[in-house]
Amino acid sequence: MEIDNELGRAKLELEAAQRDYQTLQRLEEKQAATKQEAIEANRKVQQLQAEMQALERKRAVLVAPADRVVAEAKLHEALAALEQAQARLERSLLRAPMQGSVYDLPARTGAYLKPGRHRAQVGDIKKLRVKVYVDEPELGRVAPGMAVTITWDAMPGHPWTGIVDTMPTQIVALGTRQIGEVICAIRNPDLLLLPGTNINAEIVSQVVENGVTIPKEALRQDKGQTGVYLLRGESVEWRPSNWAPRA
């Protein structure tokens, strides 16, 4: 017990001496203390370190053989318990078969996980494949490689861009609509667009300079042609979609 007290005292004195030495070093660099003062402070640190080493050796000699056996037995027991804990921890680790980001984690701390059940979803979300529902009449205007812009209502003013990647192989019903599922490749470098969200998509099929836009509802079918009815004074004039003014 007495040696432990002496060791505690020596430790405190050593910490104080080390702080003094470090302070004198800084002051010497600023020419606010002499080199001799720093040397004396370092010598005191070394003396206290030697004193602590001597006390440690003295305490080791005073340990009885029986105490050493008991201490070694406890150490082996602790090491065995540590090895078992590390093995349990290793078995509890879940490793994904691929690199990527965890974007869905239904498991929570303390929850019981049954074997074979879903744990998390991991993937490379820097490049997303987005499913866009296109009405059947509009599918003829869509082709692979066309530019696509994606927006998300949760982050207004933040667009994501990409291209049409895969065209649908069949038409399916979606409520009262007949649609094709167009797959688009979208760049997501900031990882802000999350899988499973509902988005708005705009596919650029053609660019017309200085074109006049009209509501889709204004288009009509007449004798197999697509066009609009144009109001001229008090009469209505049919104007097909491929009409162009004469030079």
Side-chain angles (χ1 to χ4, degrees), residues 69-119:
V69 172
V70 172
E72 289 178 349
K74 290 182 178 180
L75 175 60
H76 290 310
E77 182 179 353
L79 291 175
L82 175 60
E83 185 177 351
Q84 292 178 359
Q86 289 175 334
R88 289 195 298 270
L89 177 61
E90 181 67 21
R91 290 194 298 269
S92 67
L93 292 177
L94 299 178
R95 291 182 171 85
M98 59 176 290
Q99 292 183 347
S101 302
V102 177
Y103 60 86
D104 182 30
L105 185 63
R108 294 293 180 266
T109 303
Y112 177 73
L113 303 180
K114 296 181 179 180
R117 295 294 296 274
H118 174 71
R119 300 291 183 267

Side-chain angles (χ1 to χ4, degrees), residues 70-230:
V70 172
E72 289 178 349
K74 290 182 178 180
L75 175 60
H76 290 310
E77 182 179 353
L79 291 175
L82 175 60
E83 185 177 351
Q84 292 178 359
Q86 289 175 334
R88 289 195 298 270
L89 177 61
E90 181 67 21
R91 290 194 298 269
S92 67
L93 292 177
L94 299 178
R95 291 182 171 85
M98 59 176 290
Q99 292 183 347
S101 302
V102 177
Y103 60 86
D104 182 30
L105 185 63
R108 294 293 180 266
T109 303
Y112 177 73
L113 303 180
K114 296 181 179 180
R117 295 294 296 274
H118 174 71
R119 300 291 183 267
Q121 292 189 2
V122 181
D124 181 9
I125 61 175
K126 290 183 179 180
K127 297 179 181 178
L128 296 177
R129 292 175 62 82
V130 177
K131 184 185 298 182
V132 178
Y133 299 140
V134 179
D135 290 322
E136 183 180 3
E138 306 294 336
L139 280 174
R141 301 168 55 191
V142 179
M146 288 183 173
V148 182
T149 300
I150 299 296
T151 57
W152 182 22
D153 292 341
M155 297 189 66
H158 190 306
W160 290 265
T161 58
I163 60 171
V164 174
D165 184 66
T166 307
M167 294 296 293
T169 57
Q170 61 179 348
I171 302 299
V172 297
L174 180 65
T176 59
R177 300 164 56 193
Q178 295 293 316
I179 58 95
E181 297 179 354
V182 176
I183 305 301
C184 302
I186 302 299
R187 294 181 291 273
N188 186 32
D190 48 15
L191 309 181
L192 294 178
L193 185 59
L194 303 179
T197 56
N198 293 321
I199 53 87
N200 309 303
E202 179 181 303
I203 300 176
V204 181
S205 61
Q206 186 179 7
V207 177
V208 177
E209 297 294 339
N210 302 319
V212 178
T213 60
I214 62 173
K216 180 181 177 181
E217 294 76 9
L219 290 174
R220 294 290 186 269
Q221 292 284 336
D222 186 12
K223 298 178 182 180
Q225 286 187 322
T226 302
V228 296
Y229 288 102
L230 181 65

